[in-house]
Amino acid sequence: MSGAQAKQSASGQKVKTAITPTRGEDFPQWYQAIIKAADMAENSPVRGSMIIKPYGFALWENIQRALDDMIKAEGVQNAYFPLLIPLSFISREAEHVDGFAKECAVVTHHRLEAGPDGKLIPAPSAELEEPFVIRPTSETIIGDAMSRWVQSYRDLPLLLNQWCNVMRWEMRTRLFLRTSEFLWQEGHNAFETAEDAHEDAMKMLRVYNELYENVLAMPGIMGEKTADERFPGAVRTFTIEAMMQDGKALQACTSHDLGQNFAKSCNIQFQGRDGQQHHAYTTSWGLSTRSIGGLIMTHGDDDGMIMPPKIAPHQVTIIPIVRDDAGAAMVIERCKEISDGLRRAGFRVHFDNSDARTPDKMWGSIKRGVPVRVEIGQREAEEGTLTFIRRDLGKDSKKTVKVEEFFGTLQSVLDTMQADMLARARKFTNDNITDVKTLGDIRSFYEGGGLGFVRAPSSIINEAGLAELKKDLSLTTRCLPFADEGKTVLIGKSY
Amino acid sequence: MSGAQAKQSASGQKVKTAITPTRGEDFPQWYQAIIKAADMAENSPVRGSMIIKPYGFALWENIQRALDDMIKAEGVQNAYFPLLIPLSFISREAEHVDGFAKECAVVTHHRLEAGPDGKLIPAPSAELEEPFVIRPTSETIIGDAMSRWVQSYRDLPLLLNQWCNVMRWEMRTRLFLRTSEFLWQEGHNAFETAEDAHEDAMKMLRVYNELYENVLAMPGIMGEKTADERFPGAVRTFTIEAMMQDGKALQACTSHDLGQNFAKSCNIQFQGRDGQQHHAYTTSWGLSTRSIGGLIMTHGDDDGMIMPPKIAPHQVTIIPIVRDDAGAAMVIERCKEISDGLRRAGFRVHFDNSDARTPDKMWGSIKRGVPVRVEIGQREAEEGTLTFIRRDLGKDSKKTVKVEEFFGTLQSVLDTMQADMLARARKFTNDNITDVKTLGDIRSFYEGGGLGFVRAPSSIINEAGLAELKKDLSLTTRCLPFADEGKTVLIGKSY
């Protein structure tokens, strides 16, 4: 069920951790183990598709709610477009089809029947005249709708978003980070001018950055992708690159300035202010369940997940500490009162009144990363106090306070924890970006076991040896950070 | 753009309606026209799949939010399961496969390539060993997860729900009512005993009934489906049958007691309190975007949609009436203040400050069914008043009041309208249920142009002539209403 494993630390001391292996021992295995320990997701019998379990899905719902509000505040409207895309649509944009044709699920039949051996097979008589792909992304099908909806400059800007599932047939999958089916939002906006589209792509990236920093407590580096890393069909692709605790990069979201590429291939034309027909300029921007993988690899520790308070499915766990039946009723009653009171005050509370053992309840709360754990025993119940522990600081943060005091300070405890989590992750990121000058510097940095990103002069992109170096060391170009105005490039290993 | 069409009424008077044809002239065409006029959805280039436009999707989001809160209040947790279902899974339950194999989208390949003529085709080298179907419903894939998650009676009840898209390959489709792809929630619960499962299926039906009556202002008749109308694989199917304005029935949602059928085919077993292994008892229950079709056919009139205030995307439209440039700025400013004030008070407000003509704004608000339309001209702006009209009562309800008075009464205006809408729909339903005794009564009722449902003694189900009668008159058995405790059966035409 649970309990910490006894571990040998580097210094030879016994250290207890709830997750085996630890981050330091085997980061990829730790990642799988923490998802299991926190009960967030699991692999399904459908190769490459995951099951998002209730605790993981509650997290996604909180991310959705936060981002959806921010998207709507920008004047974007939600809508819903078909799951299936005709092959003729996906073929419309040349780079786009190259990018997605190699890994997509193809629907070819619309009926099953019993085959010769009695097993079900696709009915030969029900083969589709034109097959469909399950959307890997929806530029073409939404572009087609836009071609009908946009007639005049008065119809612009047209700002649309959908929350949906998409599918890309991945051969090597990993929970949340890379799955054949994943959940995301994809925004698709259309504008009158190239400048409007460019500004929109930048603006939506800033919206994502606000979500990452202020809600997920994940600092990211905003920048532009180099040509070889652009979205298929985009003129410019903007990205947020986040550094995971193993020093690798996660592309946390992207926002694309599509110029007139999709407007031309989908025929999105409008009568302009000059009375002439013009092609629109479009953008697209997406953030997916991959963000949860990033959240785990940014904040998890060797005892389990640590949830940023703003999106934690439970902000507080309340655990009754019951030693004998005599005092039990009072302790349970007190826990219930406090849970109800906190819920009325707007907090997300988990009162763990299950029949699990007390240590299992405590470790359950730790592994799931609930920000604040409250323990109430008979003594606390009698004295009108409670004991609480901040998940990220552990037992050193343990405090016993009057219940009224806890009610008065909980919000600020959560706010402080949220800020501390961001600050720690930011420090880790900043500490692990190393400035380099030459290809040789990069090689010696990573061959010497260097961790994190390197930041090089952007002129290095054009050097002949870069491709070979990247191949040798499994490096990729992450982005040209906005902060350095194109003068530098970030390079690193990545997910 | 808009404007009412001049119509000849039955009495020879000219009547203006915004929707052509009217309900009386051609109900199916009126249905298509109102969806277009209210800008809610449209057909897509993917046969059978619809595009839900922003105004229609905002309505769905409001329905989702209301129902999701109710589902969670019952202790059900949201999760997410794979879109694709292996053929071996769908085959597990014999009736289930018979019910869904004939109309499903089959995925057979995972890559495209250029064919002999350069067009994309499914790559022959990328044929899947085992094809998948796109979920028509998820009993089998969720049942498979339950078989892993349920080990002991302590793991029960297990209460799960997902909001997702599903696909059933329909040959004759109609926006919202019957589309190949649709959106829904599907709940899947597992229990220790047959009684628990039965009670759950009944309880979730009551949850739906609460949504329909209290939120959508749609009265429905709760009852049990007869054996021939059951969900494939269910022991008992419960339904809410709603009467549309043409007298036809819409199955508004269903809740199934699956007994041990899926537990046996999916191997959901647990160690019981007696230490022995037992199969669980499961339920499933779903409500889809079809509910929007029902909403339209319950409440729409010949001028457009009428939205129940509780889920209206906009509860109030504010229209500035500007005659000359001189007064315009003040009127616009006043409208903006009032809009902002109403939004702060928690109302959903659409301030129509577009450059459309004033009559087009008014008709736009009418066709979209916004519950309350507010008009503010120069005189109102100067006097601190506004004029408002309730959509369902039309111009007879027009009132000019002080702005402060409007703020004080708007909520009760909306509440009254919500209650009136339910009462009107309930009266229509009750007025159009005709009690009959024999098959001959039913035949003469419908052959004589009778509208609505007939309620017959339930013994009629076993009569030899019923099947032929139903076929002749396109009738179906709707349900055995709970209210009559199995003594009667409702029969009618249906969607």
Side-chain angles (χ1 to χ4, degrees):
Chain A
M1 285 289 286
S2 85
Q5 315 296 322
K7 284 276 144 204
Q8 202 75 17
S9 79
S11 62
Q13 271 188 298
K14 288 263 185 199
V15 176
K16 281 186 170 189
T17 69
I19 305 296
T20 310
T22 62
R23 289 165 294 176
E25 287 165 346
D26 186 334
F27 197 81
Q29 284 301 315
W30 165 86
Y31 178 75
Q32 301 293 331
I34 194 174
I35 290 174
K36 186 168 181 185
D39 205 26
M40 293 172 75
E42 65 182 34
N43 286 308
S44 82
V46 180
R47 207 197 51 74
S49 293
M50 66 178 161
I51 294 170
I52 306 180
K53 299 186 77 173
Y55 191 65
F57 199 79
L59 179 63
W60 179 239
E61 286 184 310
N62 290 343
I63 294 172
Q64 279 190 299
R65 189 76 55 111
L67 181 56
D68 194 61
D69 287 347
M70 292 163 74
I71 288 172
K72 283 178 177 153
E74 299 297 335
V76 180
Q77 294 184 297
N78 285 343
Y80 188 75
F81 295 86
L83 171 71
L84 298 185
I85 300 188
L87 292 203
S88 58
F89 277 53
I90 203 101
S91 314
R92 283 182 179 169
E93 215 289 330
E95 289 185 18
H96 195 66
V97 66
D98 286 351
F100 292 107
K102 286 175 201 131
E103 44 170 41
C104 59
V106 192
V107 176
T108 56
H109 293 72
H110 63 82
R111 191 169 63 240
L112 298 171
E113 66 182 32
D117 60 355
K119 278 195 186 168
L120 285 181
I121 57 166
S125 61
E127 191 169 347
L128 296 167
E129 272 185 48
E130 185 182 12
F132 295 99
V133 299
I134 297 179
R135 62 182 161 221
T137 179
S138 302
E139 276 75 9
T140 57
I141 192 107
I142 295 181
D144 182 74
M146 284 181 166
S147 74
R148 293 190 300 279
W149 300 352
V150 173
Q151 300 296 328
S152 147
Y153 69 89
R154 289 190 189 85
D155 300 323
L156 297 173
L158 179 58
L159 312 177
L160 298 170
N161 179 61
Q162 73 176 353
W163 290 93
C164 64
N165 51 348
V166 287
M167 185 159 273
R168 299 170 187 183
W169 208 266
E170 300 284 354
M171 283 301 154
R172 294 179 53 200
T173 61
R174 204 180 299 190
L175 292 171
F176 291 118
L177 295 174
R178 192 174 294 277
T179 49
S180 289
E181 182 186 6
F182 59 89
L183 304 183
W184 77 347
Q185 61 66 223
E186 50 178 322
H188 298 268
N189 296 346
F191 300 90
E192 218 179 320
T193 69
E195 294 69 36
D196 289 349
H198 171 74
E199 276 167 29
D200 184 68
M202 296 285 280
K203 182 179 76 177
M204 295 319 296
L205 195 78
R206 287 194 299 270
V207 167
Y208 289 143
N209 198 54
E210 195 185 320
L211 177 83
Y212 271 112
E213 294 214 344
N214 297 345
V215 182
L216 305 186
M218 285 173 65
I221 294 151
M222 289 195 286
E224 180 168 358
K225 286 285 186 190
T226 50
D228 54 324
E229 298 279 347
R230 261 181 221 138
F231 175 76
V235 172
R236 301 177 73 174
T237 285
F238 307 111
T239 180
I240 297 177
E241 300 289 324
M243 189 187 290
M244 305 294 98
Q245 290 182 73
D246 61 352
K248 287 169 78 172
L250 184 84
Q251 178 180 299
C253 58
T254 47
S255 180
H256 315 291
D257 176 353
L258 304 172
Q260 292 182 310
N261 289 349
F262 284 89
K264 284 180 177 166
S265 56
C266 299
N267 196 30
I268 311 170
Q269 289 197 61
F270 64 95
Q271 189 175 47
R273 292 167 203 270
D274 59 2
Q276 306 295 307
Q277 288 296 108
H278 299 274
H279 283 105
Y281 295 81
T282 65
T283 66
S284 67
W285 32 280
L287 183 143
S288 77
T289 37
R290 193 170 212 227
S291 57
I292 295 179
L295 196 73
I296 295 167
M297 293 195 293
T298 299
H299 297 305
D301 70 12
D302 295 337
D303 284 330
M305 185 54 194
I306 303 180
M307 293 284 182
K310 282 194 187 167
I311 40 127
H314 307 138
Q315 296 172 310
V316 181
T317 309
I318 296 187
I319 299 175
I321 314 283
V322 179
R323 289 216 173 68
D324 55 67
D325 283 352
M330 187 184 65
V331 170
I332 300 290
E333 184 53 35
R334 196 80 189 114
C335 286
K336 201 177 164 316
E337 274 170 34
I338 294 170
S339 301
D340 291 346
L342 290 172
R343 281 197 195 104
R344 276 193 301 273
F347 296 103
R348 297 187 291 277
V349 181
H350 175 225
F351 168 28
D352 190 348
N353 196 22
S354 68
D355 54 7
R357 294 167 51 239
T358 300
D360 286 339
K361 291 185 186 186
M362 290 179 184
W363 281 109
S365 174
I366 292 168
K367 289 191 286 189
R368 285 164 170 255
V370 180
V372 171
R373 184 170 92 242
V374 167
E375 298 172 358
I376 300 174
Q378 195 166 343
R379 186 166 164 180
E380 280 98 342
E382 284 166 359
E383 291 176 353
T385 60
L386 56 75
T387 297
F388 74 95
I389 299 102
R390 235 175 79 173
R391 168 65 180 89
D392 58 331
L393 301 181
K395 61 180 192 296
D396 295 343
S397 68
K398 198 164 185 165
K399 267 190 202 163
T400 300
V401 297
K402 285 273 174 197
V403 170
E404 308 81 65
E405 187 187 334
F406 183 75
F407 271 74
T409 59
L410 177 58
Q411 187 59 56
S412 82
V413 170
L414 295 173
D415 290 345
T416 307
M417 176 169 166
Q418 179 88 26
D420 288 353
M421 288 178 73
L422 176 62
R424 272 195 299 272
R426 195 191 298 283
K427 182 172 187 319
F428 179 83
T429 302
N430 291 341
D431 287 352
N432 288 289
I433 297 178
T434 303
D435 283 299
V436 294
K437 291 241 152 48
T438 65
L439 291 181
D441 291 347
I442 299 176
R443 183 175 290 276
S444 52
F445 177 78
Y446 286 108
E447 284 182 350
L451 182 85
F453 306 162
V454 293
R455 181 167 44 204
S458 54
S459 57
I460 213 166
I461 299 170
N462 302 316
E463 290 190 29
L466 182 62
E468 197 189 332
L469 176 76
K470 280 161 61 175
K471 204 176 156 209
D472 287 352
L473 297 169
S474 306
L475 297 173
T476 50
T477 307
R478 304 316 307 158
C479 70
L480 304 168
F482 291 157
D484 293 335
E485 296 175 336
K487 294 192 196 75
T488 67
V489 61
L490 277 189
I491 292 173
K493 301 184 184 192
S494 79
Y495 282 93
Chain B
M1 283 294 286
S2 86
Q5 314 295 321
K7 285 275 145 205
Q8 203 77 15
S9 79
S11 61
Q13 270 187 300
K14 289 264 187 196
V15 176
K16 282 185 170 189
T17 70
I19 305 297
T20 310
T22 62
R23 289 165 293 177
E25 288 165 346
D26 185 335
F27 197 81
Q29 284 300 315
W30 164 85
Y31 178 74
Q32 302 292 331
I34 193 174
I35 290 175
K36 187 170 180 180
D39 206 25
M40 294 173 74
E42 64 182 36
N43 287 306
S44 81
V46 180
R47 207 195 51 74
S49 293
M50 67 177 159
I51 294 169
I52 306 180
K53 298 186 78 174
Y55 191 65
F57 199 79
L59 178 62
W60 178 239
E61 286 184 310
N62 290 344
I63 294 171
Q64 279 190 299
R65 188 75 57 114
L67 181 56
D68 194 60
D69 286 347
M70 292 163 74
I71 289 172
K72 284 178 178 155
E74 299 297 336
V76 180
Q77 295 186 296
N78 285 342
Y80 188 76
F81 295 85
L83 170 72
L84 298 185
I85 300 187
L87 291 203
S88 58
F89 277 52
I90 203 100
S91 315
R92 283 182 180 171
E93 215 290 330
E95 289 185 20
H96 195 67
V97 66
D98 285 351
F100 292 107
K102 285 173 201 131
E103 45 170 41
C104 58
V106 192
V107 176
T108 56
H109 293 72
H110 64 83
R111 190 168 64 240
L112 297 171
E113 65 181 32
D117 61 356
K119 277 194 186 168
L120 285 181
I121 57 166
S125 62
E127 191 169 347
L128 295 168
E129 272 186 47
E130 185 182 12
F132 296 98
V133 298
I134 296 179
R135 63 182 160 222
T137 180
S138 302
E139 276 75 8
T140 57
I141 191 108
I142 295 181
D144 182 73
M146 284 181 165
S147 75
R148 294 190 300 278
W149 300 352
V150 173
Q151 301 295 330
S152 148
Y153 69 89
R154 288 190 190 84
D155 301 323
L156 297 174
L158 179 59
L159 313 176
L160 298 170
N161 179 61
Q162 72 175 353
W163 290 94
C164 65
N165 51 348
V166 287
M167 185 159 274
R168 299 171 186 182
W169 208 266
E170 300 283 353
M171 284 300 155
R172 294 177 55 198
T173 61
R174 204 180 299 189
L175 292 171
F176 292 118
L177 295 174
R178 192 174 294 277
T179 50
S180 290
E181 182 186 6
F182 58 89
L183 304 182
W184 78 348
Q185 62 65 222
E186 49 178 321
H188 297 268
N189 295 345
F191 300 90
E192 214 180 324
T193 70
E195 294 68 35
D196 289 349
H198 171 74
E199 276 167 30
D200 183 69
M202 295 285 280
K203 182 178 77 176
M204 296 318 297
L205 195 78
R206 287 194 298 271
V207 167
Y208 289 142
N209 198 53
E210 195 185 321
L211 177 83
Y212 272 112
E213 294 215 345
N214 297 345
V215 182
L216 306 187
M218 284 173 66
I221 294 151
M222 289 196 286
E224 179 168 358
K225 286 287 186 189
T226 50
D228 54 325
E229 298 278 346
R230 259 182 222 138
F231 175 77
V235 171
R236 301 178 72 175
T237 286
F238 307 110
T239 179
I240 297 177
E241 300 288 324
M243 190 187 290
M244 305 294 99
Q245 290 182 72
D246 61 352
K248 286 168 78 173
L250 184 84
Q251 178 180 301
C253 57
T254 48
S255 180
H256 314 292
D257 176 354
L258 304 173
Q260 292 181 309
N261 290 350
F262 284 89
K264 284 181 177 165
S265 56
C266 299
N267 195 31
I268 310 171
Q269 289 197 60
F270 64 95
Q271 189 175 46
R273 292 167 202 269
D274 58 4
Q276 304 296 307
Q277 287 295 109
H278 301 273
H279 283 105
Y281 296 80
T282 65
T283 65
S284 67
W285 31 281
L287 182 143
S288 77
T289 36
R290 194 170 211 225
S291 57
I292 295 178
L295 196 74
I296 295 168
M297 293 196 292
T298 299
H299 297 305
D301 71 11
D302 295 336
D303 284 329
M305 185 54 194
I306 302 180
M307 293 283 182
K310 283 194 187 166
I311 38 125
H314 307 137
Q315 296 172 308
V316 181
T317 310
I318 297 187
I319 300 175
I321 314 283
V322 178
R323 288 213 175 69
D324 55 67
D325 284 351
M330 187 183 67
V331 170
I332 300 290
E333 183 53 34
R334 196 78 190 115
C335 286
K336 201 178 163 316
E337 274 171 34
I338 293 170
S339 300
D340 292 345
L342 289 172
R343 282 196 194 106
R344 276 194 300 273
F347 296 103
R348 297 187 291 277
V349 181
H350 175 226
F351 169 28
D352 190 349
N353 196 22
S354 68
D355 54 8
R357 293 166 52 238
T358 300
D360 286 339
K361 291 185 185 185
M362 291 179 183
W363 281 110
S365 174
I366 292 168
K367 290 191 288 189
R368 285 167 169 252
V370 180
V372 171
R373 183 169 93 243
V374 168
E375 298 172 357
I376 299 174
Q378 196 167 341
R379 186 166 160 179
E380 281 97 343
E382 283 166 1
E383 292 176 351
T385 61
L386 56 74
T387 296
F388 74 96
I389 299 102
R390 235 175 79 174
R391 169 64 181 87
D392 59 330
L393 302 181
K395 61 181 191 297
D396 294 344
S397 68
K398 197 166 186 162
K399 268 191 201 161
T400 301
V401 297
K402 285 274 175 197
V403 170
E404 306 80 68
E405 187 187 333
F406 183 74
F407 271 74
T409 58
L410 177 56
Q411 187 59 57
S412 82
V413 169
L414 294 173
D415 290 345
T416 307
M417 177 168 165
Q418 179 88 26
D420 288 353
M421 288 178 73
L422 176 62
R424 272 195 299 271
R426 195 190 299 282
K427 182 173 187 318
F428 180 83
T429 301
N430 292 342
D431 287 351
N432 288 288
I433 297 178
T434 303
D435 283 300
V436 295
K437 291 241 150 51
T438 65
L439 292 181
D441 291 347
I442 298 175
R443 184 175 289 277
S444 52
F445 177 78
Y446 287 108
E447 285 183 347
L451 182 85
F453 306 163
V454 293
R455 182 165 45 204
S458 54
S459 57
I460 212 167
I461 299 169
N462 302 316
E463 289 191 29
L466 181 63
E468 196 190 334
L469 176 77
K470 278 161 63 176
K471 203 175 158 213
D472 286 354
L473 298 169
S474 306
L475 298 173
T476 50
T477 307
R478 303 316 307 157
C479 69
L480 303 168
F482 292 156
D484 293 335
E485 296 174 337
K487 294 192 198 75
T488 67
V489 61
L490 277 191
I491 292 174
K493 302 185 184 192
S494 79
Y495 282 94

